[in-house]
């Protein structure tokens, strides 16, 4: 009896019971429909998002009635004409796109060595330390991190104190465009590492050893083998960092001091400061349109990155 229980563990009995219940609820003849059933929750969430976008699109076609401070019942394209006709919004869009591009490039440059070392190191303890250091920022909110940089980079902060030790007068390190980009790179770095690591893991180490045995030094191995084969990870990480940076709110608001707004900050101002929901909705759809065009262009030129890894092997 004891050997029988050991041969057929309790957890297997539990799994059999779950399978029996599933078979009773969903007969085997409906098996082909099971994948579509599993898609149902995701499709439902997407539909909710679509419904929200439809509501935003409807709001964007109503201007704010200044006499009642309520949306006008008439449908008009005035909000789009205003948004596209004012140089201020073009400047904000350009600033957001340029910032997202710079942050993406810098994040990939800084993240690649970290991801490579984390994947390739034979030292298990070092790998664990790198992993813990990678996930630590996720336990701290973005706003908290931004305020942390306020303390470090402020006029009386640690950075200016260190500059004072070498005879450099205090510098204005906050409330400018580089400060926003610096905060965004620091915030996006873990995302880039997490997207790069699977792609580097998928590169067999034997290929690097073969390149070395054929006379290639480390640099040639890196530029001719590792970097090209890491393309899916670079594309995936770039897409994630680009989209998150383009829509970021906290870093431009805190480290930019209100003078380096991105599109998300402009949308927030319209919704919650001027109560112009129509203009806020129009800017939201413009952000969605611009972001979709950029992501679609990247998909067309570079492919889907890590999102399509393994598909060609089937």
């Amino acid at each position: 009896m004891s050997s029988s229980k050991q041969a057929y563990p309790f957890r297997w009995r539990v799994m059999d019971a779950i399978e029996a219940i599933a078979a009773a609820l969903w007969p085997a003849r409906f098996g082909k429909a099971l994948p579509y059933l599993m898609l149902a929750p995701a499709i439902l969430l997407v539909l909710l998002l679509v419904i929200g976008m439809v509501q935003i699109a409807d709001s964007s076609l109503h201007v704010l009635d200044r006499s009642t401070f309520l949306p006008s019942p008439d449908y008009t394209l005035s909000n789009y004409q205003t948004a596209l006709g004012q140089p201020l919004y073009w400047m904000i869009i350009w600033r957001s796109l340029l910032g997202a591009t710079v942050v993406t490039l810098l994040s990939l440059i800084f993240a690649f060595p970290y991801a490579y070392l984390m994947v390739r190191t034979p030292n298990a303890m070092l790998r664990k330390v790198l992993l813990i250091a990678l996930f630590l920022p996720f336990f701290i909110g973005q706003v908290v991190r931004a305020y942390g940089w306020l303390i470090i980079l402020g006029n009386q902060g640690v950075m200016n104190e260190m500059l004072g030790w070498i005879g450099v007068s205090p510098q204005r390190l906050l409330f400018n465009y580089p400060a926003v980009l610096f905060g965004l790179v620091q915030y996006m770095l873990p995302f880039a590492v997490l997207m790069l690591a699977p792609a580097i893991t998928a590169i067999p180490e034997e290929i690097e050893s073969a390149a070395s045995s054929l006379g290639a030094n480390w640099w040639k191995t890196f530029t001719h083998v590792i970097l090209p084969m890491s393309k899916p990870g670079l594309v995936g990480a770039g897409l994630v960092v680009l989209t998150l940076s383009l829509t970021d709110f906290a870093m431009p608001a805190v480290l930019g001091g209100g003078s380096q707004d991105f599109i998300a900050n402009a949308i927030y101002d319209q919704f919650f400061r001027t109560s112009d929901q129509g203009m806020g909705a129009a800017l939201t759809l413009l952000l969605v349109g611009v972001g979709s065009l950029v992501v679609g262009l990247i998909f067309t030129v570079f492919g889907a990155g890590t999102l399509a890894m393994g598909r060609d092997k089937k």
Side-chain angles (χ1 to χ4, degrees):
M1 184 65 183
S2 176
S3 60
S4 175
K5 285 184 177 180
Q6 189 174 3
Y8 197 67
F10 176 73
R11 61 179 180 276
W12 291 12
R13 298 170 188 269
V14 173
M15 293 300 297
D16 286 346
I18 294 175
E19 287 184 2
I21 295 173
L25 296 176
W26 193 262
R29 62 179 179 276
F30 298 147
K32 291 183 179 179
L34 186 60
Y36 300 100
L37 180 66
M38 296 174 68
L39 277 176
I43 293 174
L44 179 61
L45 290 175
V46 172
L47 285 177
L48 291 175
L49 177 64
V50 171
I51 292 172
M53 292 301 297
V54 171
Q55 289 285 341
I56 291 175
D58 181 74
S59 298
S60 70
L61 299 176
H62 300 279
V63 297
L64 179 66
D65 188 344
R66 300 289 175 179
S67 60
T68 61
F69 276 94
L70 293 173
S72 168
D74 301 324
Y75 286 89
T76 175
L77 295 175
S78 296
N79 289 321
Y80 293 99
Q81 293 172 348
T82 303
L84 296 175
Q86 291 192 7
L88 172 65
Y89 292 120
W90 281 108
M91 184 182 67
I92 292 175
I93 292 173
W94 166 247
R95 180 190 296 148
S96 304
L97 285 173
L98 178 63
T101 303
V102 172
V103 169
T104 301
L105 293 176
L106 291 178
S107 298
L108 293 180
I109 291 172
F110 292 139
F112 196 94
Y114 193 104
Y116 185 83
L117 178 62
M118 187 177 69
V119 170
R120 288 290 192 253
T121 179
N123 189 326
M125 180 59 68
L126 177 60
R127 184 180 297 110
K128 289 177 182 176
V129 170
L130 292 174
L131 278 170
I132 292 172
L134 177 65
F135 282 95
L136 274 180
F138 290 109
F139 296 107
I140 308 171
Q142 188 186 10
V143 175
V144 176
R145 266 193 276 175
Y147 275 106
W149 286 117
L150 282 181
I151 297 171
I152 295 173
L153 301 177
N155 292 335
Q156 306 297 325
V158 176
M159 191 59 68
N160 268 318
E161 285 188 8
M162 294 176 65
L163 291 175
W165 294 344
I166 57 175
V168 178
S169 58
Q171 302 292 313
R172 189 173 185 272
L173 303 175
L174 287 172
F175 307 137
N176 51 41
Y177 198 48
V180 175
L181 300 186
F182 176 80
L184 282 173
V185 170
Q186 192 270 341
Y187 177 63
M188 297 299 167
L189 207 54
F191 294 101
V193 173
L194 286 176
M195 295 298 293
L196 280 169
I200 297 175
T201 305
I203 303 174
E205 291 187 60
E206 292 78 6
I207 294 180
E208 298 177 41
S209 301
S212 299
S213 65
L214 293 174
N217 56 27
W218 181 87
W219 178 248
K220 284 187 177 179
T221 303
F222 175 75
T223 54
H224 289 81
V225 177
I226 302 172
L227 202 58
M229 295 187 74
S230 303
K231 178 186 169 185
L234 291 170
V235 175
L239 281 169
V240 171
V241 174
L242 182 75
T243 51
L244 291 178
S245 302
L246 186 62
T247 58
D248 194 76
F249 172 83
M251 289 297 176
V254 178
L255 299 183
S259 62
Q260 305 296 329
D261 286 346
F262 277 22
I263 303 178
N265 304 99
I267 293 171
Y268 175 87
D269 289 342
Q270 294 299 328
F271 273 117
F272 299 104
R273 291 187 176 176
T274 64
S275 298
D276 192 345
Q277 298 182 9
M279 179 58 73
L283 291 175
T284 301
L285 289 186
L286 286 177
L287 172 60
V288 173
V290 170
S292 300
L293 283 176
V294 173
V295 172
L297 182 63
I298 293 174
F299 276 145
T300 303
V301 176
F302 299 106
T306 48
L307 299 176
M309 275 183 64
R311 186 175 182 274
D312 296 335
K313 297 177 182 177
K314 295 179 181 178

